[in-house]
Structures are given as structure tokens and as C-alpha cells.
Amino acid sequence: MSLVTLLPFIVLIGAMFLMTRSAKKKQQAAAQMRNDMQPGTGVRTIGGMYATVKELHDDTVLLEVAPGVHAIYAKNAIGAVLDDAEYNRIVHGDGDGDLEVDGHVVPDDASSLTGTTDSDTSDDAKIDLGKKPEADEVKDEAEAEGDAEPKDIESKDGKTNGESDAK
């Protein structure tokens, strides 16, 4: 066999090796993060719950979810160990003024997007949902031309709309 025919297989094996190596590095970093946890640190679980570590065991962690509320989680369920400043900012809302925003802040409601306030609106600006006078004029013209009466329409059974079954 020549080197040209073996080249795709060599490239494929090399790509697989690189992918598994990076995945192993991520797993080792996550395991190291979980092993470095100390009681009193703030964590985020893989489900998105924020809690404080109370006790560490071999495979489990006792978390304080709220004051006086404890839950036991597997160490693998810890998604991130947070530093104190980030944990306090997320959980307790401390330091909201320090947050810098790159761009526009979207308001909670659409009132600021309309450009009008409550004092700008008046009863004159309300929409009239009543009948328009043009519709009355069209009806008067139809009556004047003699089109006001319904036309006889023959149905599938041969009767017109004026005939009944009682004949």
C-alpha cells in the first residue's frame, strides 16, 4: 500500500486523538474544580441552582439552598464553583451598580418605545369603531337602483330561495 491511500486514515485517527484529548482535559479540569471546593464557597449546580457548600464527602456535597434548607447533591452535579464576589452579585444582588453594559438597555415594557406618555394621549386620539357614513350611502344607492331585494337563487334541489317545502 502506498502512503497516499493511508493518509485519510492517519488524518482521521489524529483528529479522533485530538478530540478525545481535549475532552479528557475538560473532564480533569472539572474534577479538579470539584475537588478544590471548600465549605462556605458558592456553587452553581448543573440544573442552575445557586447554593453554598456546607459539607464535603467523598462523592456527595451538602448544599445550603436557603437559610436552614439543606440538600445533598452528587459532586458531579456541581457545574461551577463561583468566587465570593460573583456569588454575592448573583444571589444577593450586591454590586448591581458596578455592572457595565455594552450597548442599549431594553426596557421592561413598550411604553418607552411608543414615544408618547399618558399625558400625551387624549380622548380625541381614540379610534372610532362605529359604522362609517360611506356604508350608509352605498346602501341608499343600492335601494335607489332597486337592488335592495334579494335575488332568487336556485339551489341544488331545483328550488329558489323564495320557495318552501310546504307547497
Side-chain angles (χ1 to χ4, degrees):
M1 276 198 186
S2 70
L3 185 64
V4 176
T5 58
L6 291 177
L7 189 62
F9 295 112
I10 293 171
V11 170
L12 182 64
I13 291 171
M16 289 174 55
F17 172 73
L18 291 175
M19 285 190 286
T20 56
R21 193 177 91 173
S22 65
K24 278 187 181 180
K25 280 188 177 182
K26 286 180 184 178
Q27 287 177 349
Q28 287 175 349
Q32 183 66 31
M33 172 208 50
R34 290 182 188 111
N35 289 334
D36 290 344
M37 282 189 300
Q38 298 295 324
T41 59
V43 296
R44 182 184 69 236
T45 65
I46 57 174
M49 183 179 68
Y50 293 91
T52 306
V53 176
K54 283 299 185 186
E55 294 178 11
L56 293 168
H57 300 286
D58 291 335
D59 293 332
T60 60
V61 180
L62 180 67
L63 299 178
E64 185 176 33
V65 178
V69 179
H70 296 86
I72 298 174
Y73 277 79
K75 274 190 177 179
N76 292 337
I78 304 300
V81 177
L82 307 172
D83 60 348
D84 291 336
E86 184 179 7
Y87 180 77
N88 287 332
R89 181 184 61 81
I90 293 170
V91 174
H92 303 296
D94 296 344
D96 283 338
D98 300 340
L99 186 63
E100 294 182 17
V101 179
D102 299 337
H104 300 287
V105 177
V106 178
D108 290 340
D109 59 351
S111 64
S112 64
L113 301 175
T114 60
T116 60
T117 60
D118 292 339
S119 62
D120 294 342
T121 60
S122 64
D123 292 338
D124 298 334
K126 293 188 178 184
I127 298 172
D128 181 25
L129 298 175
K131 203 176 197 184
K132 300 226 186 283
E134 296 93 31
D136 291 336
E137 291 173 10
V138 170
K139 183 179 177 184
D140 292 339
E141 289 175 10
E143 288 176 359
E145 294 176 4
D147 291 341
E149 295 182 22
K151 297 183 177 169
D152 290 337
I153 301 173
E154 190 172 314
S155 64
K156 290 181 181 177
D157 59 355
K159 298 177 185 171
T160 60
N161 63 351
E163 295 178 5
S164 65
D165 291 333
K167 283 187 179 179

